[in-house]
Amino acid sequence: MKMFILKKGRYILLLMLVQSFEFIQTKQCNIPEDNEDIDWDNFSEAWYEVLHTFDPVMDKDVFGAKLHNFTKTSTGMNLIVTELHKNFPSQTYAVHHTRKKAGIYRAAKNDEPAIKASQSLTPEGGRSEDAAKIDDALFSGDFLILSDEENYMINAFCSYADEWVVWVAFPSMNPTIQQLTLMWNKLMEKQINVQLYLSESVKHPENFMGFNR
């Protein structure tokens, strides 16, 4: 019970911090060209998706995601993704990213079936066409990864509606004030002005025991 109260308190603090950041909604989605390169050899073993835009994938279909086993390759980067779903077993799949230029990547088309199967799965067991369209947009163009290799990792791309889709991971499910501030500063620097929401796995950690191990 003590652990639950502690985690609940951290969630409330995190929620207050997220809501405290003012934002102006970006009217047009353009991936910036001038970005920092990332050395994937410096990444810790696991990162956790904590914040996201209110998009059809993350608003209800995916309740949390763990990114792990990062591997630097000659063409880009590979990793393993484990996604949580409320009424179904977790889904794990491999992801392969091809580096186009510093910070800009292209998702491998061979990964599309597995990603769509997981990210379009609804809590009721159906398939979300809106979520599938988000994945279509992801695989149809380039996407942006911003990270200082230690505190935050931002994944951002443009939907077909020309709106930002942003998923943010941290090396812990309970990011610090410093980590949140560094992440927001980077978004503002790149003129990616969006409102972010907490993942269900952060709001209700009691439902996902063992996920952050």
PDB file of all heavy atoms in Angstrom, residues 56-57 60-61 116 119-122 126-136 160:
ATOM      1  N   PRO A  56      -4.785   9.015 -32.115  1.00  0.00           N
ATOM      2  CA  PRO A  56      -5.588   7.779 -32.047  1.00  0.00           C
ATOM      3  C   PRO A  56      -4.824   6.546 -31.594  1.00  0.00           C
ATOM      4  O   PRO A  56      -5.443   5.581 -31.150  1.00  0.00           O
ATOM      5  CB  PRO A  56      -6.075   7.612 -33.502  1.00  0.00           C
ATOM      6  CG  PRO A  56      -6.081   8.985 -34.062  1.00  0.00           C
ATOM      7  CD  PRO A  56      -4.896   9.665 -33.438  1.00  0.00           C
ATOM      8  N   VAL A  57      -3.507   6.538 -31.709  1.00  0.00           N
ATOM      9  CA  VAL A  57      -2.738   5.385 -31.241  1.00  0.00           C
ATOM     10  C   VAL A  57      -2.609   5.411 -29.724  1.00  0.00           C
ATOM     11  O   VAL A  57      -2.903   4.434 -29.032  1.00  0.00           O
ATOM     12  CB  VAL A  57      -1.340   5.346 -31.888  1.00  0.00           C
ATOM     13  CG1 VAL A  57      -0.470   4.281 -31.223  1.00  0.00           C
ATOM     14  CG2 VAL A  57      -1.452   5.063 -33.374  1.00  0.00           C
ATOM     15  N   LYS A  60      -5.936   5.783 -26.472  1.00  0.00           N
ATOM     16  CA  LYS A  60      -6.632   4.673 -25.828  1.00  0.00           C
ATOM     17  C   LYS A  60      -6.153   3.299 -26.285  1.00  0.00           C
ATOM     18  O   LYS A  60      -6.309   2.311 -25.574  1.00  0.00           O
ATOM     19  CB  LYS A  60      -8.139   4.762 -26.073  1.00  0.00           C
ATOM     20  CG  LYS A  60      -8.564   4.528 -27.516  1.00  0.00           C
ATOM     21  CD  LYS A  60     -10.093   4.483 -27.629  1.00  0.00           C
ATOM     22  CE  LYS A  60     -10.531   4.159 -29.053  1.00  0.00           C
ATOM     23  NZ  LYS A  60     -11.994   4.039 -29.166  1.00  0.00           N
ATOM     24  N   ASP A  61      -5.558   3.204 -27.457  1.00  0.00           N
ATOM     25  CA  ASP A  61      -5.229   1.889 -28.004  1.00  0.00           C
ATOM     26  C   ASP A  61      -3.969   1.293 -27.394  1.00  0.00           C
ATOM     27  O   ASP A  61      -3.876   0.092 -27.175  1.00  0.00           O
ATOM     28  CB  ASP A  61      -5.088   1.981 -29.530  1.00  0.00           C
ATOM     29  CG  ASP A  61      -6.381   2.446 -30.184  1.00  0.00           C
ATOM     30  OD1 ASP A  61      -7.430   1.865 -29.872  1.00  0.00           O
ATOM     31  OD2 ASP A  61      -6.337   3.396 -30.972  1.00  0.00           O
ATOM     32  N   LYS A 116       1.330  -2.127 -36.884  1.00  0.00           N
ATOM     33  CA  LYS A 116      -0.096  -1.859 -37.053  1.00  0.00           C
ATOM     34  C   LYS A 116      -0.956  -2.822 -36.249  1.00  0.00           C
ATOM     35  O   LYS A 116      -1.972  -2.424 -35.662  1.00  0.00           O
ATOM     36  CB  LYS A 116      -0.478  -1.950 -38.539  1.00  0.00           C
ATOM     37  CG  LYS A 116      -0.263  -0.677 -39.323  1.00  0.00           C
ATOM     38  CD  LYS A 116      -0.892  -0.800 -40.696  1.00  0.00           C
ATOM     39  CE  LYS A 116      -0.784   0.508 -41.455  1.00  0.00           C
ATOM     40  NZ  LYS A 116      -1.405   0.412 -42.806  1.00  0.00           N
ATOM     41  N   GLN A 119      -0.597  -1.471 -32.581  1.00  0.00           N
ATOM     42  CA  GLN A 119      -1.032  -0.109 -32.282  1.00  0.00           C
ATOM     43  C   GLN A 119      -2.476   0.180 -32.689  1.00  0.00           C
ATOM     44  O   GLN A 119      -3.051   1.179 -32.252  1.00  0.00           O
ATOM     45  CB  GLN A 119      -0.083   0.895 -32.933  1.00  0.00           C
ATOM     46  CG  GLN A 119       1.320   0.825 -32.341  1.00  0.00           C
ATOM     47  CD  GLN A 119       2.228   1.923 -32.815  1.00  0.00           C
ATOM     48  OE1 GLN A 119       1.923   2.657 -33.755  1.00  0.00           O
ATOM     49  NE2 GLN A 119       3.375   2.064 -32.159  1.00  0.00           N
ATOM     50  N   SER A 120      -3.073  -0.655 -33.516  1.00  0.00           N
ATOM     51  CA  SER A 120      -4.470  -0.444 -33.882  1.00  0.00           C
ATOM     52  C   SER A 120      -5.418  -1.338 -33.090  1.00  0.00           C
ATOM     53  O   SER A 120      -6.629  -1.309 -33.297  1.00  0.00           O
ATOM     54  CB  SER A 120      -4.676  -0.681 -35.390  1.00  0.00           C
ATOM     55  OG  SER A 120      -4.417  -2.036 -35.726  1.00  0.00           O
ATOM     56  N   LEU A 121      -4.866  -2.122 -32.150  1.00  0.00           N
ATOM     57  CA  LEU A 121      -5.687  -2.999 -31.318  1.00  0.00           C
ATOM     58  C   LEU A 121      -6.398  -2.175 -30.248  1.00  0.00           C
ATOM     59  O   LEU A 121      -5.770  -1.476 -29.470  1.00  0.00           O
ATOM     60  CB  LEU A 121      -4.802  -4.064 -30.658  1.00  0.00           C
ATOM     61  CG  LEU A 121      -5.486  -5.076 -29.736  1.00  0.00           C
ATOM     62  CD1 LEU A 121      -6.451  -5.941 -30.532  1.00  0.00           C
ATOM     63  CD2 LEU A 121      -4.445  -5.940 -29.032  1.00  0.00           C
ATOM     64  N   THR A 122      -7.725  -2.254 -30.215  1.00  0.00           N
ATOM     65  CA  THR A 122      -8.500  -1.478 -29.245  1.00  0.00           C
ATOM     66  C   THR A 122      -8.748  -2.297 -27.983  1.00  0.00           C
ATOM     67  O   THR A 122      -8.660  -3.531 -27.993  1.00  0.00           O
ATOM     68  CB  THR A 122      -9.853  -1.062 -29.835  1.00  0.00           C
ATOM     69  OG1 THR A 122     -10.661  -2.226 -30.043  1.00  0.00           O
ATOM     70  CG2 THR A 122      -9.673  -0.329 -31.161  1.00  0.00           C
ATOM     71  N   GLY A 126     -11.210  -4.898 -31.054  1.00  0.00           N
ATOM     72  CA  GLY A 126     -11.379  -4.559 -32.460  1.00  0.00           C
ATOM     73  C   GLY A 126     -10.144  -3.898 -33.031  1.00  0.00           C
ATOM     74  O   GLY A 126      -9.061  -3.930 -32.441  1.00  0.00           O
ATOM     75  N   ARG A 127     -10.308  -3.283 -34.186  1.00  0.00           N
ATOM     76  CA  ARG A 127      -9.202  -2.604 -34.862  1.00  0.00           C
ATOM     77  C   ARG A 127      -9.580  -1.155 -35.106  1.00  0.00           C
ATOM     78  O   ARG A 127     -10.648  -0.875 -35.660  1.00  0.00           O
ATOM     79  CB  ARG A 127      -8.866  -3.304 -36.183  1.00  0.00           C
ATOM     80  CG  ARG A 127      -7.675  -2.715 -36.930  1.00  0.00           C
ATOM     81  CD  ARG A 127      -7.357  -3.530 -38.166  1.00  0.00           C
ATOM     82  NE  ARG A 127      -6.174  -3.057 -38.855  1.00  0.00           N
ATOM     83  CZ  ARG A 127      -6.184  -2.123 -39.814  1.00  0.00           C
ATOM     84  NH1 ARG A 127      -7.330  -1.579 -40.168  1.00  0.00           N
ATOM     85  NH2 ARG A 127      -5.061  -1.751 -40.391  1.00  0.00           N
ATOM     86  N   SER A 128      -8.739  -0.239 -34.706  1.00  0.00           N
ATOM     87  CA  SER A 128      -8.985   1.181 -34.883  1.00  0.00           C
ATOM     88  C   SER A 128      -8.444   1.648 -36.232  1.00  0.00           C
ATOM     89  O   SER A 128      -7.229   1.643 -36.457  1.00  0.00           O
ATOM     90  CB  SER A 128      -8.321   1.981 -33.753  1.00  0.00           C
ATOM     91  OG  SER A 128      -8.332   3.360 -34.040  1.00  0.00           O
ATOM     92  N   GLU A 129      -9.327   2.045 -37.117  1.00  0.00           N
ATOM     93  CA  GLU A 129      -8.902   2.550 -38.422  1.00  0.00           C
ATOM     94  C   GLU A 129      -8.164   3.877 -38.285  1.00  0.00           C
ATOM     95  O   GLU A 129      -7.244   4.168 -39.049  1.00  0.00           O
ATOM     96  CB  GLU A 129     -10.115   2.708 -39.342  1.00  0.00           C
ATOM     97  CG  GLU A 129     -10.786   1.394 -39.724  1.00  0.00           C
ATOM     98  CD  GLU A 129      -9.847   0.475 -40.499  1.00  0.00           C
ATOM     99  OE1 GLU A 129      -8.955   0.982 -41.202  1.00  0.00           O
ATOM    100  OE2 GLU A 129     -10.008  -0.764 -40.388  1.00  0.00           O
ATOM    101  N   ASP A 130      -8.562   4.684 -37.308  1.00  0.00           N
ATOM    102  CA  ASP A 130      -7.880   5.963 -37.095  1.00  0.00           C
ATOM    103  C   ASP A 130      -6.438   5.738 -36.654  1.00  0.00           C
ATOM    104  O   ASP A 130      -5.524   6.456 -37.081  1.00  0.00           O
ATOM    105  CB  ASP A 130      -8.623   6.792 -36.047  1.00  0.00           C
ATOM    106  CG  ASP A 130      -9.955   7.315 -36.555  1.00  0.00           C
ATOM    107  OD1 ASP A 130     -10.108   7.448 -37.784  1.00  0.00           O
ATOM    108  OD2 ASP A 130     -10.839   7.577 -35.729  1.00  0.00           O
ATOM    109  N   ALA A 131      -6.237   4.743 -35.789  1.00  0.00           N
ATOM    110  CA  ALA A 131      -4.871   4.429 -35.361  1.00  0.00           C
ATOM    111  C   ALA A 131      -4.057   3.886 -36.525  1.00  0.00           C
ATOM    112  O   ALA A 131      -2.872   4.206 -36.670  1.00  0.00           O
ATOM    113  CB  ALA A 131      -4.908   3.422 -34.214  1.00  0.00           C
ATOM    114  N   ALA A 132      -4.681   3.075 -37.367  1.00  0.00           N
ATOM    115  CA  ALA A 132      -3.988   2.529 -38.535  1.00  0.00           C
ATOM    116  C   ALA A 132      -3.538   3.641 -39.471  1.00  0.00           C
ATOM    117  O   ALA A 132      -2.465   3.560 -40.090  1.00  0.00           O
ATOM    118  CB  ALA A 132      -4.892   1.544 -39.269  1.00  0.00           C
ATOM    119  N   LYS A 133      -4.334   4.722 -39.574  1.00  0.00           N
ATOM    120  CA  LYS A 133      -3.963   5.847 -40.437  1.00  0.00           C
ATOM    121  C   LYS A 133      -2.743   6.584 -39.893  1.00  0.00           C
ATOM    122  O   LYS A 133      -1.930   7.110 -40.659  1.00  0.00           O
ATOM    123  CB  LYS A 133      -5.144   6.805 -40.569  1.00  0.00           C
ATOM    124  CG  LYS A 133      -6.293   6.269 -41.421  1.00  0.00           C
ATOM    125  CD  LYS A 133      -7.425   7.265 -41.493  1.00  0.00           C
ATOM    126  CE  LYS A 133      -8.588   6.713 -42.310  1.00  0.00           C
ATOM    127  NZ  LYS A 133      -9.734   7.659 -42.335  1.00  0.00           N
ATOM    128  N   ILE A 134      -2.630   6.644 -38.567  1.00  0.00           N
ATOM    129  CA  ILE A 134      -1.441   7.254 -37.967  1.00  0.00           C
ATOM    130  C   ILE A 134      -0.201   6.452 -38.337  1.00  0.00           C
ATOM    131  O   ILE A 134       0.845   7.002 -38.709  1.00  0.00           O
ATOM    132  CB  ILE A 134      -1.588   7.340 -36.442  1.00  0.00           C
ATOM    133  CG1 ILE A 134      -2.698   8.324 -36.057  1.00  0.00           C
ATOM    134  CG2 ILE A 134      -0.270   7.753 -35.793  1.00  0.00           C
ATOM    135  CD1 ILE A 134      -2.430   9.756 -36.433  1.00  0.00           C
ATOM    136  N   ASP A 135      -0.313   5.139 -38.268  1.00  0.00           N
ATOM    137  CA  ASP A 135       0.815   4.290 -38.657  1.00  0.00           C
ATOM    138  C   ASP A 135       1.104   4.393 -40.147  1.00  0.00           C
ATOM    139  O   ASP A 135       2.261   4.329 -40.572  1.00  0.00           O
ATOM    140  CB  ASP A 135       0.541   2.836 -38.273  1.00  0.00           C
ATOM    141  CG  ASP A 135       0.673   2.592 -36.779  1.00  0.00           C
ATOM    142  OD1 ASP A 135       1.424   3.346 -36.130  1.00  0.00           O
ATOM    143  OD2 ASP A 135       0.033   1.666 -36.270  1.00  0.00           O
ATOM    144  N   ASP A 136       0.070   4.540 -40.965  1.00  0.00           N
ATOM    145  CA  ASP A 136       0.275   4.761 -42.401  1.00  0.00           C
ATOM    146  C   ASP A 136       1.137   5.996 -42.627  1.00  0.00           C
ATOM    147  O   ASP A 136       2.066   5.993 -43.449  1.00  0.00           O
ATOM    148  CB  ASP A 136      -1.075   4.947 -43.116  1.00  0.00           C
ATOM    149  CG  ASP A 136      -1.813   3.633 -43.323  1.00  0.00           C
ATOM    150  OD1 ASP A 136      -1.158   2.577 -43.304  1.00  0.00           O
ATOM    151  OD2 ASP A 136      -3.040   3.670 -43.512  1.00  0.00           O
ATOM    152  N   TYR A 160      -1.468  12.579 -41.569  1.00  0.00           N
ATOM    153  CA  TYR A 160      -2.042  12.978 -42.846  1.00  0.00           C
ATOM    154  C   TYR A 160      -2.810  14.290 -42.731  1.00  0.00           C
ATOM    155  O   TYR A 160      -3.022  14.989 -43.728  1.00  0.00           O
ATOM    156  CB  TYR A 160      -2.966  11.887 -43.378  1.00  0.00           C
ATOM    157  CG  TYR A 160      -2.230  10.680 -43.931  1.00  0.00           C
ATOM    158  CD1 TYR A 160      -2.717   9.393 -43.734  1.00  0.00           C
ATOM    159  CD2 TYR A 160      -1.053  10.818 -44.653  1.00  0.00           C
ATOM    160  CE1 TYR A 160      -2.061   8.283 -44.245  1.00  0.00           C
ATOM    161  CE2 TYR A 160      -0.382   9.730 -45.160  1.00  0.00           C
ATOM    162  CZ  TYR A 160      -0.891   8.456 -44.955  1.00  0.00           C
ATOM    163  OH  TYR A 160      -0.228   7.363 -45.450  1.00  0.00           O
TER     164      TYR A 160
END
